Amino acid sequence: MNDFTGMEELLQDFLLEASDLLADVDSKLMDLEKRPDDKNTLNVIFRGFHTIKGGAGFLNATELVTLCHLTENLFDKLRNAELQLSPGLLDVILAATGEVRLMFNDLGRGVQPQSAPQPILDALEAALKGNAVSLSAAPAPAPAPAAPVISTALQAAAEKGPDWNALYQTLVGGVATPAPVAATATAPVVVAEGEVVVDEEKLKQSAFGRRTEDVPGRSAASASRREAEPAAKDNTIRVDTDRLDQVLNLSGEIGLTKNRLTHLRNDILGGRSDADTLKSLDESVSQLDMLVINLQNAVMNTRMQPIGRLFKKYPRLARDLARQLGKDVELVLSGEETEIDKTMIEDLNDPLVHLVRNSVDHGVESAEERAASGKSAKSMVYLSARQEGDHILISIQDDGKGMRPEVIRSKAIEKGLITLEEASALDESASLNLIFLPGFSTKDEISSVSGRGVGMDVVKTNISKLNGMITIDSAPGTGSTFTISLPLTLAILPVLLLRLSDQPFAVPLSMVREIMSVTAEGQQLISGRPTMVVRGEVLPVRSLASLIGWPDSGQSEVGVLMQVGNQSFILSADGFAGHDDVVIKSLDTFRPQGVAGVTMSSEGEIVLILDIKELLGEGNH
Amino acid sequence: MADPNLKILVVDDFSTMRRIVRNLLKELGFANVHEAEDGVEGLNKLRSEGNFEFVVSDWNMPNMTGIEMLRAIRADEKLKHLPLLMVTAEAKRENIIEAAQAGASGYVVKPFTAATLDEKLKKIFATMK
């Protein structure tokens, strides 16, 4: 099953390092589009492929070596100015880079990669022979009018799986783009002298055929290869040695403090309890307290990773998508150095990919629309991250047409997601939030690019899972901004402890707006449900006991005004037991409804941390 | 048999590759292996520590390439006798000639096995005696 028995560690190292390298190469390729002659950039890319090739050789990944070798040679010629970069050539290179990534995925699953698609190899070979697919020395972005042709063709190809897009782009890039008549798009492709002449149809067939027919036993493998793509998660982490040293330092100090405490314990057990001994005890415990907090922070710091590692994949994504759609979009990154918990980085990828796609696909307008409204042809999308207090804010902003609340409202009514009455009660921001409803899509048809069965509702769910929030700002005509707010870490949670008879329960402090006393007299029944009026606001009262399915003790004395999403309500309980910063232990295999995890109180009691959203969901059914 | 304490410097910008070379050297019985991630760091280490006895260097590296480092070593009065094995991904004729002219003691093409490395090292040690 595994082609790399005995080499697992080497393979892991290679993948970790080579993936970083490839991500760098990808972002440099984007730079190259702007400055095609930059020697330094060309050099870095050359070295990237060269290095990957060298490592791949030791893993006996011959196909990866072959692909990198060709690409590397191409860059050798480019950096020596023996070749000129053309948009067509760049497409070939991007397709090759995509293929390298797929091969990494294969390696990640312990499988030797198969040969790269022949058209890519052929195109690389042809380009190497100087049969360059460029017309002019100065490369220009793909001519926009040709793009619709490309994108229709792509949609057809997309049925076979999204990765054929890249492949097909190779063909389109290799043949159609450089032709001067591409601007008219309908004329037959005219190929300049010295260029590769490829029968598109034939190539397409052979391209599909290679993986589905020509290679026995390959079709199933290639299908699963594509599906398994996101499966390759890395289980290793890179940590700055300074941070590790800090952890080491602190554990050393904790060891010393422990020794002192052991000594004091012996003294006390031996009957010494004079003021000096007690003072020493107090000091030692305080010191231990401080050291443990520092250690927790230091350990947490080792898990923090710059978000740029995630961000740098997206300019390529945005570019590819924009080209498919015939748009000219630049994704600008900022705040890449902002650090965020490693687990969150992984879980953020899907929502961010979707938001980037959404901005490029739905956010920004087509070239014609932009021209009509007097905007520059190039659309800008800004992806930024920053830390604000104990939260991380990630925002994605486009300069597109924005969203009109009334359009969204009528769409939601049309789709039967809300009623007319409900719609009329919604203000602007609530209307925009309708796009997070399952089943909502602002475009009538799911396009081949942002389809994939993932909608904005999934984005919202994923963000909520990380205890985060997502908000929308939109100005019709000038653009939309999505802002994701996330806690710095998921591992430590400030909670409020509530008591129900003798049992403490924890609720996240972030959801607590205020605490108050609750009396039977203060409550009114409205349509059979208890409510309370707080400063003019009528709020439902839900007892914790009934939410978790306990018999109501009738002793509820305290209430917590909770804010869950857009909903506010009062959670009543028997009493408070204080507040605490707790370390959540998740219940991996056994997870009762409404319980987010468990922790231990300072008295050593087991405390359940409640998932209020889930409890409410249950209660509403 | 090889001297297990022979102080070796492995210069490569790709840490995976440094690890591979280190493991292969370990297989051959060399345990005193140090690392540098490019020519600049390599040269610094060679100059500041002064007691390296052997260098295994990649060719293609940022900041200072292997061949540039090799030329600097051969031009340095204190280091010029230091044996250096050049590692590259190519068996291109002009590269081999260039390396030889710059004063490389040996040349090995990636990927290589412990046996290949052993053979190259033996050859170099033989010419040194």
Side-chain angles (χ1 to χ4, degrees):
Chain A
M1 193 65 206
N2 195 319
D3 296 345
F4 299 96
T5 312
M7 292 202 278
E8 290 88 354
E9 268 186 57
L10 177 63
L11 182 64
Q12 280 306 319
D13 275 8
F14 171 78
L15 283 176
L16 185 67
E17 207 179 3
S19 302
D20 271 6
L21 213 57
L22 192 65
D24 264 352
V25 164
D26 250 350
S27 73
K28 289 282 186 239
L29 284 171
M30 297 300 103
D31 293 349
L32 208 57
E33 205 167 26
K34 285 171 234 158
R35 292 185 310 274
D37 299 322
D38 191 288
K39 270 265 150 28
N40 194 29
T41 310
L42 288 169
N43 250 326
V44 171
I45 300 173
F46 167 81
R47 218 169 25 239
F49 282 108
H50 179 85
T51 306
I52 293 171
K53 180 180 80 172
F58 281 92
L59 294 166
N60 302 319
T62 30
E63 297 304 339
L64 182 54
V65 170
T66 308
L67 183 62
C68 287
H69 181 70
L70 287 172
T71 319
E72 172 198 333
N73 285 350
L74 205 53
F75 274 96
D76 194 29
K77 293 204 164 179
L78 286 168
R79 66 176 183 166
N80 294 330
E82 288 168 46
L83 273 182
Q84 287 291 339
L85 192 67
S86 67
L89 185 53
L90 188 61
D91 280 340
V92 174
I93 291 163
L94 287 174
T97 317
E99 199 55 40
V100 171
R101 176 162 294 115
L102 290 177
M103 290 189 180
F104 283 178
N105 287 337
D106 284 350
L107 288 171
R109 293 185 295 115
V111 179
Q112 276 295 1
Q114 303 274 332
S115 156
Q118 201 55 44
I120 293 184
L121 295 176
D122 287 349
L124 287 169
E125 298 264 16
L128 271 173
K129 285 189 191 118
N131 293 335
V133 283
S134 85
L135 260 187
S136 58
V149 180
I150 298 172
S151 82
T152 6
L154 274 172
Q155 266 160 22
E159 287 165 25
K160 306 261 181 183
D163 287 295
W164 296 110
N165 291 353
L167 178 55
Y168 192 72
Q169 257 194 335
T170 318
L171 310 177
V172 175
V175 182
T177 322
V181 287
T184 59
T186 45
V189 175
V190 176
V191 184
E193 213 173 312
E195 288 180 350
V196 208
V197 184
V198 195
D199 181 335
E200 254 185 81
E201 197 48 46
K202 212 165 158 189
L203 251 183
K204 207 160 130 195
Q205 278 172 1
S206 72
F208 289 123
R210 192 186 67 85
R211 285 218 164 138
T212 51
E213 294 148 30
D214 296 1
V215 186
R218 172 66 185 178
S219 56
S222 74
S224 68
R225 165 181 175 182
R226 260 69 189 173
E227 279 155 27
E229 218 177 297
K233 255 194 178 180
D234 60 40
N235 296 317
T236 50
I237 186 167
R238 286 185 178 196
V239 181
D240 191 339
T241 43
D242 285 352
R243 292 186 180 180
L244 269 186
D245 287 348
Q246 213 189 342
V247 170
L248 197 66
N249 238 330
L250 284 163
S251 28
E253 282 191 47
I254 286 177
L256 292 177
T257 314
K258 190 214 81 177
N259 290 347
R260 196 165 162 216
L261 280 170
T262 314
H263 188 75
L264 281 167
R265 178 183 66 182
N266 290 342
D267 281 358
I268 292 169
L269 287 178
R272 264 181 75 179
S273 57
D274 54 282
D276 273 357
T277 311
L278 292 180
K279 190 164 167 260
S280 297
L281 178 68
D282 183 48
E283 274 173 12
S284 304
V285 171
S286 306
Q287 190 171 5
L288 191 63
D289 214 36
M290 193 188 73
L291 287 173
V292 168
I293 290 173
N294 288 346
L295 182 66
Q296 275 181 344
N297 285 336
V299 171
M300 221 47 83
N301 264 336
T302 62
R303 299 176 50 89
M304 299 303 262
Q305 302 279 303
I307 202 164
R309 290 185 66 175
L310 194 59
F311 276 12
K312 67 181 170 191
K313 298 191 224 161
Y314 302 139
R316 166 83 191 266
L317 181 86
R319 175 202 176 275
D320 287 355
L321 182 58
R323 280 195 84 156
Q324 288 176 25
L325 296 167
K327 294 179 179 175
D328 186 6
V329 180
E330 184 174 354
L331 181 69
V332 181
L333 305 178
S334 62
E336 294 108 309
E337 69 291 341
T338 311
E339 294 198 321
I340 185 164
D341 196 289
K342 180 183 181 273
T343 37
M344 276 200 253
I345 289 209
E346 281 158 9
D347 294 338
L348 264 178
N349 185 46
D350 284 353
L352 285 181
V353 164
H354 191 81
L355 286 173
V356 170
R357 284 171 167 267
N358 183 67
S359 288
V360 175
D361 191 3
H362 306 294
V364 304
E365 314 91 326
S366 65
E368 297 83 42
E369 279 178 74
R370 288 185 76 87
S373 51
K375 287 184 180 178
S376 64
K378 178 178 235 163
S379 327
M380 304 299 286
V381 176
Y382 301 91
L383 179 60
S384 67
R386 65 178 190 279
Q387 185 177 344
E388 223 166 68
D390 58 354
H391 275 72
I392 299 286
L393 297 181
I394 300 169
S395 75
I396 173 156
Q397 182 188 359
D398 65 61
D399 66 351
K401 56 184 175 289
M403 290 183 274
R404 288 212 303 275
E406 64 275 14
V407 174
I408 289 173
R409 268 200 301 267
S410 56
K411 205 84 182 184
I413 297 169
E414 202 180 293
K415 304 220 176 221
L417 300 173
I418 52 167
T419 63
L420 205 58
E421 295 82 62
E422 281 172 322
S424 55
L426 295 172
D427 61 11
E428 292 209 348
S429 105
S431 304
L432 293 181
N433 275 314
L434 289 173
I435 68 165
F436 292 122
L437 286 178
F440 190 95
S441 165
T442 32
K443 276 209 170 163
D444 289 317
E445 280 160 41
I446 294 172
S447 70
S448 68
V449 278
S450 25
R452 308 204 345 175
V454 187
M456 294 299 270
D457 58 317
V458 179
V459 171
K460 177 147 187 164
T461 319
N462 285 347
I463 302 288
S464 306
K465 273 191 204 146
L466 298 172
N467 285 338
M469 297 213 310
I470 179 161
T471 53
I472 317 172
D473 285 307
S474 190
T478 51
S480 310
T481 306
F482 290 86
T483 307
I484 298 171
S485 156
L486 293 165
L488 261 186
T489 174
L490 290 176
I492 293 182
L493 183 75
V495 294
L496 179 69
L497 294 172
L498 297 173
R499 206 169 39 74
L500 210 55
S501 65
D502 290 333
Q503 178 69 41
F505 291 93
V507 294
L509 204 55
S510 58
M511 292 182 178
V512 175
R513 257 168 60 187
E514 59 182 282
I515 55 180
M516 59 192 65
S517 59
V518 171
T519 54
E521 303 85 69
Q523 297 184 30
Q524 289 173 298
L525 286 182
I526 294 184
S527 47
R529 293 175 176 220
T531 57
M532 261 178 80
V533 180
V534 181
R535 287 186 293 277
E537 202 179 346
V538 183
L539 295 164
V541 179
R542 311 289 300 264
S543 82
L544 178 58
S546 67
L547 279 179
I548 60 170
W550 281 18
D552 214 323
S553 61
Q555 294 171 350
S556 294
E557 283 176 355
V558 298
V560 185
L561 178 43
M562 308 275 298
Q563 175 91 39
V564 182
N566 296 327
Q567 247 183 308
S568 299
F569 70 100
I570 292 166
L571 183 68
S572 65
D574 296 356
F576 292 120
H579 75 94
D580 218 343
D581 285 346
V582 299
V583 178
I584 306 173
K585 299 276 174 208
S586 60
L587 300 165
D588 284 337
T589 46
F590 169 73
R591 192 174 179 285
Q593 180 89 20
V595 176
V598 289
T599 188
M600 202 175 267
S601 74
S602 44
E603 284 93 38
E605 270 178 302
I606 300 280
V607 181
L608 295 181
I609 301 164
L610 300 175
D611 186 330
I612 299 293
K613 271 179 231 169
E614 214 173 270
L615 278 179
L616 284 181
E618 179 73 347
N620 285 347
H621 289 157
Chain B
M1 195 47 221
D3 170 12
N5 290 321
L6 188 81
K7 191 170 175 187
I8 304 177
L9 183 67
V10 175
V11 191
D12 199 308
D13 55 325
F14 198 47
S15 78
T16 309
M17 193 57 63
R18 292 199 297 272
R19 186 162 163 181
I20 290 170
V21 175
R22 182 191 270 275
N23 286 345
L24 291 176
L25 286 170
K26 203 168 141 196
E27 248 178 80
L28 299 177
F30 297 102
N32 193 6
V33 178
H34 301 251
E35 298 180 11
E37 63 179 33
D38 59 33
V40 175
E41 195 193 345
L43 207 53
N44 276 342
K45 283 206 167 162
L46 292 175
R47 283 181 177 150
S48 61
E49 297 184 29
N51 55 350
F52 280 101
E53 294 160 278
F54 198 88
V55 183
V56 181
S57 175
D58 186 30
W59 185 306
N60 241 297
M61 291 178 291
N63 305 323
M64 184 191 263
T65 63
I67 197 92
E68 285 162 3
M69 180 179 76
L70 174 59
R71 291 198 182 105
I73 289 171
R74 293 293 174 247
D76 187 313
E77 204 46 48
K78 281 186 193 141
L79 298 174
K80 67 179 184 190
H81 300 296
L82 197 58
L84 183 144
L85 176 66
M86 189 67 90
V87 179
T88 73
E90 253 77 34
K92 275 194 209 148
R93 218 183 131 75
E94 64 262 35
N95 286 4
I96 300 175
I97 294 170
E98 193 183 351
Q101 281 171 345
S105 322
Y107 191 95
V108 61
V109 178
K110 285 186 260 190
F112 48 84
T113 59
T116 320
L117 187 61
D118 193 30
E119 188 189 313
K120 300 274 177 187
L121 292 176
K122 283 200 175 113
K123 243 187 220 169
I124 296 173
F125 293 138
T127 56
M128 282 168 65
K129 275 167 196 162

